[in-house]
Amino acid sequence: MDVSEKNRLSEILIALIRNLQADGQDWVDLARVGAPLAAAGVNYKAFGFSKLRPFLEQFQDVLDFRSETTEEKPPVFYARPKELTDAVPKACTAQKPPFEQGKSPLMALGYVPNLEKALENLSRKVAFDRDALERRMKEAYDQGELLYHEYDENGDPVQRPAFSRRTMCFALPTGLQDSDGAALYVQYSRKTQGWMGIYFNTEKQIFDRLNSYRIGALSFWNYAAANDFIVRLKERLLPGESWKYAKPAPNPLRKKTEYEILESYLRTVLFALLDENDRPESLNYGKIKFSQDHKYALFNTGLLSNYATDIRIVGEAYGRIDSESGTFLISNISNPEIVTGGKSTLARKGFDASAAEVDMVSFFKDVSQIVYDATVDVDTDNLEKLHHCIDEGIQRNRFPRDCVEQYRRGDLVGLTNKFKSAIEQAVKIARRNYKYVVPQYRVSAKGNKIQFLMPIYMPKDSFGGAPNFEKSPDFVLVLSESVLGKQKFYIPETVLELAWAYNNARVICKPDDTWLNPEKIEDIGEEEDFLSMD
């Protein structure tokens, strides 16, 4: 390839890998690069390479590479864009976010689902001409007049001179000013799906937005306030439980609070309460209480204090009154605090007597819903689910090394038999220990529900050679309950890492330490398909 072609491909690769970094990981597994690269119209075999990795290694001037080897798993190769230096080819636009040609400037820098609403909001701040606005944006982009923000090692936002793999948001000047004379910028932020816009904010508003820290629908002024809250909450909990993993996730785009399991627990509990609070038929109807002026909201965490009393949280309520039902629909709780003063605290904030008895969140009507039935069949003949569990599990590096090598040899039948044998082994153990397969509360874009987590120890050969049960499972299989006629069965949905499984399981109850022990689990970051609530 000539210099011009290499520069063109460099731009594509850098933009593609940065989009993949939007899930919060610094290094991107090369197994995730192939599909989006093909979708971008790049066929590495056309350049004489039979494998993806040797092709990517031709771009070491703009990409860093590393490999990681863990016990019983094949090496995993990662890439990330280099930090920007003078060594980066000047023809490469890696120093700023990619601009999609053929689109208007407002739409060319990211996904914009709210364009008309954003422009309407801007019109309330200042009169403007859209054509002039977009000309100024393009001029600013071409001349490099962009603001870039990321988070430092303390979890605080900082402005940087250039676009990097850690950039959390970027903004371009619009040539407009608000009523106070402050310059307005058009802002795009990093989301799970990639870059998303748009908001029209001043520089201070951009900083304030980044500075806040959210634990789901709990909002804090900054990271320090959130971490202080989580630490104080942990100190008040009934002792005897670990709320952090043996090792935190590496290189997050923004650090989590000190007790990441507790943070995840609160996020999910409050999400369930918010989702069902105004639905009379739900288990959690009316379990968020409001002060009489709707200024404050109160909820029961479901946790016990070191005095074995309910731990409740109160904070400033943000929401709106539904015009039809007259119900207050809450969306967010800011500046939360732990209720330590009992009824006197609630009275001071304007709650009535019923708030003192606010009930904890419920995830099931009957205890039988969270007990795995080992006499019920697991449907291992579902081709779609087998593909998702095995093929995609291999691509995500969930399987041990010998299984990956077997898959690469083309022995899918043998690997499938091993997978089914591992499920049969787990069922045998579950018939003798009803707590072996644990329930989880799953938050999903498709709906929240109870599922089961089955530990999977893959046999060491195609004849069902015994795995090492003294070690942690290779991965966790998620099972959903379904019915055919009057017959109940379980569907294998996906395979999870242990850290994700523990977060989901802890919402319902503290799992047994037989195989799901947080003191032996390393966090790996946010779950890939977890519904974003921030």
Side-chain angles (χ1 to χ4, degrees), residues 242-254:
S242 177
W243 290 96
K244 64 166 59 178
Y245 292 112
K247 187 176 179 181
N251 300 316
L253 289 170
R254 191 180 196 182

Side-chain angles (χ1 to χ4, degrees), residues 266-276 443 448 531 533:
L266 279 182
R267 178 191 295 116
T268 307
V269 164
L270 185 52
F271 180 84
L273 290 172
L274 289 171
D275 188 45
E276 299 184 356
V443 173
N448 311 325
L531 177 63
M533 295 175 290

Side-chain angles (χ1 to χ4, degrees), residues 106 118-119 121-134 136-137 172-186 200-203:
L106 283 167
L119 293 175
N121 290 339
L122 177 62
S123 68
R124 296 193 184 104
K125 298 179 180 181
V126 63
F128 70 95
D129 176 76
R130 178 170 172 176
D131 290 338
L133 166 65
E134 295 200 293
R136 179 67 184 102
M137 282 183 61
L172 300 88
T174 63
L176 303 171
Q177 296 179 338
D178 68 6
S179 58
D180 295 324
L184 287 168
Y185 292 80
V186 56
F200 292 98
N201 289 317
T202 65
E203 195 167 346

